[in-house]
Amino acid sequence: MMRAATVCFGIIASVPLAAGMVALTGPTPTSFAITLLAAPLGLAVAAAILWTRGRREVIDAWAGRLLRGAGAGITATLVYDSWRVGVRDIWGIAYDPFRVQPVFGQILTGLPTTHTLTLAAGWGHHLWLGALAGMIFAALAPRGGALAGVGFAAAMQLGRWAMYPSVFGAGLADREFIANGVLGQMLWGLVLGTAIAITAERGNLPFRWTRQ
C-alpha cells in the first residue's frame, strides 16, 4: 500500500516548487507568497523534527489526516465552483463565476489575465486555498461531520466579513452575495465536513498507513 506520508508530503512539497516557478515570471506579493509557502515549510520543519526523534508513527497519522483534509477541501471547492455556475445559469444572475482566478493569476505572475500561465496559477492558487482550508479543518475536527463543516465555513466567512465590514454591508442588498457568500459557503462547509466524515474510517481510504 502507498504510505500516506509519502503522498501527503509529495503533494505539499510541490506547492513551493510551483510557487518558485511562478515567481520567475515576475514579483509575487508577500501576502500571496505566504499562503503558498508558510504551510508547506512549516509542515516540513515539523516532520523533520519528528523524524529525527523517531516519531514516524506520528508523521504517518498526521499525514493521513492532512491528506484527507486536502482531498475534502478540493472536493468542496469544486462543488462550490459548480454552485456558482448554477447561480448564474439557474437563478439568472448575470456575472462571471470565475472572474477571480485570472485576477489572482495576474497578481502572481505579472502576465496578462488571458495568458495560459496566468490562468493555471490563478486556478492553482484557488484550489490550494481550498486544500489548505480542508487540512486546517481536518486538524481541528478529524472525524468531520456536516454540522462541524458548516460551523467551520461560517467561522471563516464571519472572519472575512470582520476584516472587510464594508463588503458585508454592501452585499446585504446583492443577490449574488447572498447566493454565494452565504448559501454557497454553507454548501462548501457541508461538503467538506461530510467528505471528512466519509473518509475518516481507515477502510474507506485508497491507502493505509502503518505504525512502525
Side-chain angles (χ1 to χ4, degrees):
M1 286 289 186
M2 187 180 298
R3 294 188 56 170
T6 303
V7 178
C8 181
F9 291 107
I11 294 173
I12 290 174
S14 69
V15 175
L17 177 61
M21 294 176 64
V22 168
L24 294 176
T25 64
T28 300
T30 303
S31 58
F32 278 75
I34 289 175
T35 61
L36 293 170
L37 300 177
L41 293 178
L43 289 172
V45 171
I49 293 173
L50 290 171
W51 184 274
T52 58
R53 295 182 178 181
R55 301 297 303 277
R56 298 181 185 178
E57 75 283 355
V58 177
I59 296 176
D60 282 344
W62 271 97
R65 182 183 298 184
L66 295 177
L67 191 57
R68 294 199 307 273
I74 292 175
T75 299
T77 299
L78 292 175
V79 171
Y80 171 71
D81 289 338
S82 300
W83 167 271
R84 291 178 63 87
V85 175
V87 167
R88 180 195 62 190
D89 296 343
I90 298 175
W91 291 15
I93 300 177
Y95 79 108
D96 180 2
F98 305 125
R99 62 181 180 272
V100 174
Q101 283 81 350
V103 175
F104 282 172
Q106 186 178 47
I107 293 173
L108 287 166
T109 65
L111 298 171
T113 56
T114 55
H115 196 282
T116 302
L117 183 57
T118 297
L119 296 175
W123 274 99
H125 183 262
H126 174 64
L127 294 176
W128 166 245
L129 291 180
L132 185 60
M135 288 190 285
I136 294 172
F137 176 72
L140 296 173
R143 293 185 180 276
L147 184 59
V150 171
F152 179 71
M156 288 183 58
Q157 195 68 331
L158 288 173
R160 294 192 190 103
W161 291 340
M163 293 175 62
Y164 306 104
S166 59
V167 175
F168 175 70
L172 290 177
D174 185 352
R175 287 197 303 158
E176 183 204 333
F177 176 84
I178 299 299
N180 293 324
V182 179
L183 299 179
Q185 287 297 322
M186 295 306 99
L187 174 64
W188 178 87
L190 177 66
V191 174
L192 175 66
T194 302
I196 291 290
I198 290 174
T199 58
E201 294 296 330
R202 187 177 302 181
N204 290 336
L205 296 174
F207 52 81
R208 295 180 181 176
W209 61 91
T210 57
R211 295 178 180 273
Q212 294 185 355

